[in-house]
Amino acid sequence: MKGIAAENSIHCETEYSALKRVIVVKPAFMKINEVINETQKHYEETNIDIPLALNQHETFVNTLKEHQVDVCELPTEPDLPEQVFTRDIAFTIHDQLFIASMGEEVRQSETEILKSWLQKYGLPFQEGFSDSIEGGDVVIDGKTIWVGKSGRTSFSAIEELQSLLPSYKIEPLSLTEDILHLDCVFNIISDDTALLYPPAFTSSDLSKIKSQFHIINVTEDEKFHMGPNVLSIGNKKIISLSQNERLNSELESHGYTVISVDFSEIIKSGGAFRCCTLPLQRQE
């Protein structure tokens, strides 16, 4: 890890500009102890092969490093089986880092580890949401912030975020009950294009999204295999699950460079590449 200085270390304006610095956590203690999302229901009995998950995560981290991303790792804790999903515990909006208010008790201690790390390196952050809001529901689009109203993010917390960011436009999107986070069904991959699983949204919200973006639709099977949860790292390069062959071909046909990585063990717990990264800095 490179030296971390407080100055100019927090900055993210989009979901797709060149990724410079990111926080991850190894899936060293990853396990489905209690089912907390729809995906986990399918894998509760077989559970997680931790050595395989660690190997896949290492490949992903090495891929980031090969593309000049500074990867910072938080320490792992045996009693925190969901730690690998660092996107949920905070979110960066331009030059501010907000600590999330976690909706599930099993995940609440994860934010304390993050705060200790940030304090160690003198990186500023904001906290104190009065109700639950998680980073997987927050998608950055310049001065517009799309926020999923889900089982993990309340409307009151969305309103609170708007009050904290009066110069931004907060766009709430109501999700169907079976959807964990917004980034499982919607992801912006360029200034005019987004991945979308339409059945997750109301008709009015669909119209709102389609008025802003060219849409690449994701099938139900691809949604189950975390198709929208790609990670854009800049210059139209996208890290995507190797098993989603149709979607990857579609992305390539639109001029994107797809970097295929096998993340099949980690997606069993309900998240993929975006879920496993907390960006601190993207290129301005």
Coordinates of all heavy atoms in Angstrom, one line a residue, residues 91-94 96 98 129 133-134 137-149 153-174 182 186 205 208 212:
F91 N -19.8 5.5 1.9 CA -19.9 5.9 0.5 C -19.3 7.3 0.3 O -19.4 8.1 1.2 CB -21.3 5.9 0.0 CG -22.4 6.5 0.9 CD1 -22.7 7.8 0.7 CD2 -23.0 5.8 1.9 CE1 -23.6 8.4 1.5 CE2 -23.9 6.4 2.7 CZ -24.2 7.7 2.6
T92 N -18.6 7.4 -0.8 CA -17.9 8.7 -1.1 C -18.7 9.5 -2.1 O -19.0 8.9 -3.2 CB -16.5 8.4 -1.7 OG1 -15.7 7.6 -0.8 CG2 -15.7 9.7 -1.9
I93 N -19.0 10.7 -1.7 CA -19.7 11.6 -2.6 C -18.8 12.8 -2.8 O -18.7 13.6 -1.9 CB -21.1 12.0 -2.1 CG1 -22.0 10.7 -2.0 CG2 -21.8 13.0 -3.0 CD1 -23.4 11.0 -1.4
H94 N -18.2 12.9 -4.0 CA -17.3 14.0 -4.3 C -16.2 14.0 -3.2 O -15.4 13.0 -3.1 CB -18.0 15.3 -4.4 CG -18.8 15.4 -5.7 ND1 -18.6 16.4 -6.7 CD2 -19.6 14.5 -6.3 CE1 -19.4 16.1 -7.7 NE2 -20.0 15.0 -7.5
Q96 N -16.5 14.0 0.1 CA -17.0 13.6 1.5 C -17.2 12.1 1.6 O -17.7 11.5 0.7 CB -18.3 14.3 1.8 CG -18.2 15.8 1.8 CD -19.5 16.5 2.2 OE1 -20.0 16.4 3.3 NE2 -20.2 17.1 1.2
F98 N -19.0 9.3 3.8 CA -20.1 9.1 4.8 C -20.0 7.7 5.3 O -20.0 6.7 4.5 CB -21.5 9.4 4.2 CG -21.7 10.8 3.7 CD1 -21.3 11.2 2.4 CD2 -22.3 11.7 4.6 CE1 -21.5 12.5 2.0 CE2 -22.5 13.0 4.2 CZ -22.1 13.4 2.9
F129 N -26.1 9.1 10.8 CA -27.5 8.9 10.2 C -28.4 8.3 11.3 O -28.1 7.4 12.0 CB -27.5 8.0 9.0 CG -26.9 8.7 7.8 CD1 -25.6 8.5 7.4 CD2 -27.6 9.5 7.0 CE1 -25.0 9.1 6.3 CE2 -27.1 10.2 5.9 CZ -25.8 9.9 5.5
I133 N -28.9 3.4 6.3 CA -28.6 3.7 4.9 C -27.2 3.0 4.6 O -26.3 3.1 5.4 CB -28.4 5.2 4.6 CG1 -28.1 5.5 3.1 CG2 -27.4 5.9 5.6 CD1 -28.2 7.0 2.8
E134 N -27.2 2.3 3.5 CA -26.0 1.5 3.2 C -25.4 1.9 1.8 O -26.2 2.2 0.9 CB -26.3 0.0 3.2 CG -26.7 -0.4 4.6 CD -26.9 -1.9 4.8 OE1 -26.7 -2.7 3.8 OE2 -27.2 -2.3 5.9
D137 N -26.7 1.0 -1.8 CA -27.9 1.7 -2.3 C -27.6 3.1 -2.9 O -28.5 3.8 -3.3 CB -28.9 1.9 -1.2 CG -29.7 0.6 -1.0 OD1 -30.1 0.0 -2.0 OD2 -30.0 0.2 0.2
V138 N -26.3 3.5 -2.8 CA -25.9 4.9 -3.2 C -25.1 4.8 -4.5 O -24.0 4.2 -4.5 CB -25.1 5.6 -2.1 CG1 -24.8 7.0 -2.5 CG2 -25.9 5.6 -0.8
V139 N -25.6 5.4 -5.6 CA -24.9 5.4 -6.9 C -24.7 6.8 -7.3 O -25.6 7.6 -7.4 CB -25.8 4.6 -7.9 CG1 -25.1 4.7 -9.3 CG2 -25.9 3.2 -7.5
I140 N -23.4 7.1 -7.6 CA -23.0 8.5 -7.8 C -23.0 8.9 -9.3 O -22.5 8.1 -10.2 CB -21.5 8.7 -7.3 CG1 -21.4 8.2 -5.9 CG2 -21.2 10.2 -7.4 CD1 -22.4 8.8 -4.9
D141 N -23.6 10.0 -9.6 CA -23.8 10.4 -11.0 C -23.6 11.9 -11.1 O -24.5 12.7 -11.3 CB -25.2 10.0 -11.5 CG -25.5 10.4 -12.9 OD1 -24.5 10.6 -13.7 OD2 -26.7 10.6 -13.3
G142 N -22.3 12.4 -10.8 CA -22.0 13.8 -10.8 C -22.8 14.5 -9.7 O -22.6 14.1 -8.5
K143 N -23.6 15.5 -10.0 CA -24.3 16.2 -9.0 C -25.7 15.5 -8.6 O -26.4 16.0 -7.8 CB -24.6 17.6 -9.4 CG -23.3 18.5 -9.6 CD -22.6 18.7 -8.3 CE -23.2 19.8 -7.4 NZ -22.5 20.2 -6.3
T144 N -25.9 14.4 -9.3 CA -27.1 13.6 -9.0 C -26.7 12.4 -8.3 O -25.8 11.7 -8.7 CB -27.9 13.2 -10.3 OG1 -28.2 14.4 -11.0 CG2 -29.1 12.4 -10.0
I145 N -27.4 12.1 -7.2 CA -27.1 10.9 -6.4 C -28.4 10.0 -6.4 O -29.4 10.4 -5.9 CB -26.7 11.2 -5.0 CG1 -25.7 12.4 -4.9 CG2 -26.2 10.0 -4.2 CD1 -24.4 12.1 -5.6
W146 N -28.3 8.8 -7.0 CA -29.4 7.9 -7.1 C -29.3 7.0 -5.8 O -28.2 6.4 -5.5 CB -29.3 7.0 -8.3 CG -29.3 7.8 -9.6 CD1 -28.2 8.3 -10.2 CD2 -30.4 8.1 -10.4 NE1 -28.6 8.9 -11.4 CE2 -30.0 8.8 -11.5 CE3 -31.8 7.8 -10.3 CZ2 -30.8 9.3 -12.5 CZ3 -32.6 8.2 -11.3 CH2 -32.1 9.0 -12.4
V147 N -30.4 6.9 -5.1 CA -30.4 6.2 -3.8 C -31.5 5.2 -3.8 O -32.7 5.6 -3.9 CB -30.4 7.1 -2.6 CG1 -30.2 6.3 -1.3 CG2 -29.3 8.2 -2.7
G148 N -31.2 3.9 -3.6 CA -32.3 2.9 -3.5 C -33.0 2.9 -2.2 O -32.3 2.9 -1.1
K149 N -34.3 3.0 -2.2 CA -35.1 2.8 -1.0 C -35.4 1.3 -0.9 O -36.2 0.7 -1.7 CB -36.4 3.6 -1.1 CG -37.3 3.4 0.1 CD -38.6 4.2 0.0 CE -39.5 4.0 1.2 NZ -40.0 2.6 1.3
T153 N -32.0 0.6 3.3 CA -32.0 2.1 3.3 C -33.4 2.7 3.4 O -34.2 2.4 2.5 CB -31.3 2.6 2.0 OG1 -29.9 2.1 2.0 CG2 -31.3 4.1 1.9
S154 N -33.6 3.5 4.4 CA -34.9 4.0 4.6 C -35.1 5.4 3.9 O -34.1 6.1 3.6 CB -35.1 4.2 6.1 OG -34.3 5.3 6.6
F155 N -36.4 5.7 3.7 CA -36.6 7.0 3.1 C -36.2 8.2 4.0 O -35.8 9.2 3.5 CB -38.1 7.1 2.7 CG -38.4 8.3 1.9 CD1 -38.0 8.4 0.5 CD2 -39.1 9.4 2.4 CE1 -38.2 9.6 -0.2 CE2 -39.4 10.5 1.6 CZ -39.0 10.6 0.3
S156 N -36.3 8.0 5.3 CA -35.9 9.1 6.2 C -34.4 9.4 6.1 O -34.0 10.5 6.2 CB -36.3 8.8 7.6 OG -35.7 7.6 8.1
A157 N -33.6 8.3 5.9 CA -32.2 8.5 5.8 C -31.9 9.1 4.4 O -30.9 9.9 4.3 CB -31.5 7.1 5.9
I158 N -32.6 8.8 3.4 CA -32.5 9.5 2.1 C -32.7 11.0 2.2 O -32.0 11.8 1.7 CB -33.4 8.8 1.0 CG1 -33.0 7.4 0.8 CG2 -33.3 9.6 -0.3 CD1 -33.9 6.6 -0.1
E159 N -33.8 11.3 2.9 CA -34.1 12.7 3.2 C -33.0 13.4 4.0 O -32.7 14.6 3.7 CB -35.5 12.8 3.9 CG -36.7 12.5 3.0 CD -38.0 12.7 3.8 OE1 -38.1 12.3 5.0 OE2 -38.9 13.2 3.2
E160 N -32.5 12.7 4.9 CA -31.4 13.2 5.7 C -30.2 13.5 4.8 O -29.5 14.5 5.0 CB -31.0 12.2 6.8 CG -30.2 12.8 8.0 CD -30.1 11.9 9.1 OE1 -30.9 10.9 9.2 OE2 -29.3 12.1 10.0
L161 N -29.9 12.6 3.9 CA -28.7 12.8 3.0 C -29.0 14.0 2.2 O -28.0 14.8 1.9 CB -28.6 11.5 2.1 CG -27.4 11.6 1.1 CD1 -26.0 11.7 1.9 CD2 -27.4 10.4 0.2
Q162 N -30.2 14.2 1.7 CA -30.5 15.4 0.9 C -30.2 16.7 1.7 O -29.7 17.7 1.2 CB -31.9 15.4 0.4 CG -32.3 16.6 -0.4 CD -31.7 16.7 -1.7 OE1 -32.1 16.2 -2.7 NE2 -30.5 17.5 -1.8
S163 N -30.6 16.7 3.0 CA -30.4 17.8 3.9 C -28.9 18.1 4.1 O -28.5 19.2 4.2 CB -31.1 17.7 5.2 OG -30.5 16.6 6.0
L164 N -28.1 17.0 4.1 CA -26.6 17.2 4.2 C -26.0 17.7 2.9 O -24.9 18.2 3.0 CB -26.0 15.9 4.7 CG -26.4 15.4 6.1 CD1 -25.9 13.9 6.2 CD2 -25.8 16.3 7.1
L165 N -26.6 17.4 1.8 CA -26.1 17.8 0.5 C -27.1 18.7 -0.3 O -27.6 18.2 -1.3 CB -25.8 16.5 -0.3 CG -24.7 15.5 0.3 CD1 -24.7 14.2 -0.4 CD2 -23.4 16.2 0.3
P166 N -27.3 19.9 0.2 CA -28.3 20.7 -0.4 C -28.1 21.1 -1.9 O -29.0 21.4 -2.6 CB -28.4 21.9 0.5 CG -27.1 22.0 1.2 CD -26.7 20.5 1.3
S167 N -26.8 21.1 -2.3 CA -26.5 21.5 -3.7 C -26.5 20.3 -4.7 O -26.2 20.4 -5.8 CB -25.1 22.1 -3.7 OG -24.1 21.2 -3.4
Y168 N -26.9 19.1 -4.1 CA -27.0 17.9 -5.0 C -28.4 17.5 -5.2 O -29.3 17.9 -4.4 CB -26.2 16.7 -4.3 CG -24.7 16.9 -4.3 CD1 -24.1 17.7 -3.4 CD2 -23.9 16.2 -5.2 CE1 -22.8 17.9 -3.3 CE2 -22.5 16.3 -5.1 CZ -22.0 17.2 -4.2 OH -20.6 17.3 -4.1
K169 N -28.7 16.8 -6.2 CA -30.0 16.3 -6.5 C -30.1 14.8 -6.1 O -29.4 13.9 -6.7 CB -30.4 16.4 -7.9 CG -31.8 16.0 -8.3 CD -32.2 16.2 -9.7 CE -33.6 15.8 -10.0 NZ -33.9 15.9 -11.5
I170 N -30.8 14.5 -5.0 CA -30.9 13.1 -4.5 C -32.2 12.5 -5.2 O -33.3 13.1 -5.1 CB -31.1 13.1 -3.0 CG1 -29.9 13.8 -2.3 CG2 -31.2 11.6 -2.6 CD1 -28.6 13.2 -2.6
E171 N -32.0 11.4 -5.9 CA -33.1 10.8 -6.7 C -33.4 9.4 -6.0 O -32.7 8.4 -6.2 CB -32.7 10.5 -8.1 CG -32.7 11.8 -9.0 CD -34.1 12.2 -9.4 OE1 -35.1 11.6 -8.9 OE2 -34.2 13.1 -10.3
P172 N -34.4 9.3 -5.2 CA -34.8 8.0 -4.6 C -35.4 7.1 -5.6 O -36.1 7.5 -6.5 CB -35.8 8.4 -3.6 CG -35.8 9.9 -3.4 CD -35.3 10.4 -4.8
L173 N -35.0 5.8 -5.5 CA -35.6 4.8 -6.4 C -36.1 3.6 -5.5 O -35.3 3.0 -4.8 CB -34.5 4.2 -7.3 CG -33.9 5.2 -8.3 CD1 -32.7 4.6 -9.0 CD2 -34.9 5.6 -9.4
S174 N -37.4 3.4 -5.5 CA -38.0 2.3 -4.7 C -37.7 1.0 -5.3 O -38.0 0.8 -6.5 CB -39.5 2.5 -4.6 OG -39.8 3.8 -3.9
L182 N -29.5 -1.3 -4.4 CA -29.7 -0.7 -5.7 C -28.6 -1.2 -6.7 O -28.9 -1.5 -7.9 CB -29.6 0.8 -5.6 CG -29.7 1.6 -6.9 CD1 -31.0 1.3 -7.6 CD2 -29.5 3.1 -6.7
F186 N -28.9 -1.9 -10.7 CA -28.6 -0.7 -11.5 C -27.2 -0.2 -11.2 O -26.7 -0.2 -10.1 CB -29.6 0.4 -11.0 CG -29.4 1.8 -11.5 CD1 -29.5 2.1 -12.8 CD2 -28.9 2.8 -10.6 CE1 -29.3 3.4 -13.3 CE2 -28.7 4.1 -11.1 CZ -28.9 4.4 -12.4
D205 N -40.2 5.1 -11.8 CA -38.8 5.2 -11.6 C -38.1 4.6 -12.9 O -37.0 5.2 -13.2 CB -38.4 4.3 -10.4 CG -38.6 5.1 -9.1 OD1 -38.9 6.3 -9.1 OD2 -38.5 4.4 -8.0
K208 N -37.9 7.4 -15.3 CA -36.9 8.4 -14.8 C -35.5 8.0 -15.2 O -34.7 8.8 -15.7 CB -37.0 8.6 -13.3 CG -36.2 9.7 -12.7 CD -36.2 9.6 -11.2 CE -37.6 9.6 -10.6 NZ -37.5 9.6 -9.1
Q212 N -32.6 9.3 -18.6 CA -31.3 9.8 -18.4 C -30.2 9.0 -19.0 O -29.1 9.5 -19.3 CB -31.0 9.9 -16.9 CG -31.9 10.8 -16.1 CD -31.8 12.3 -16.5 OE1 -30.6 12.7 -16.6 NE2 -32.9 12.9 -16.7

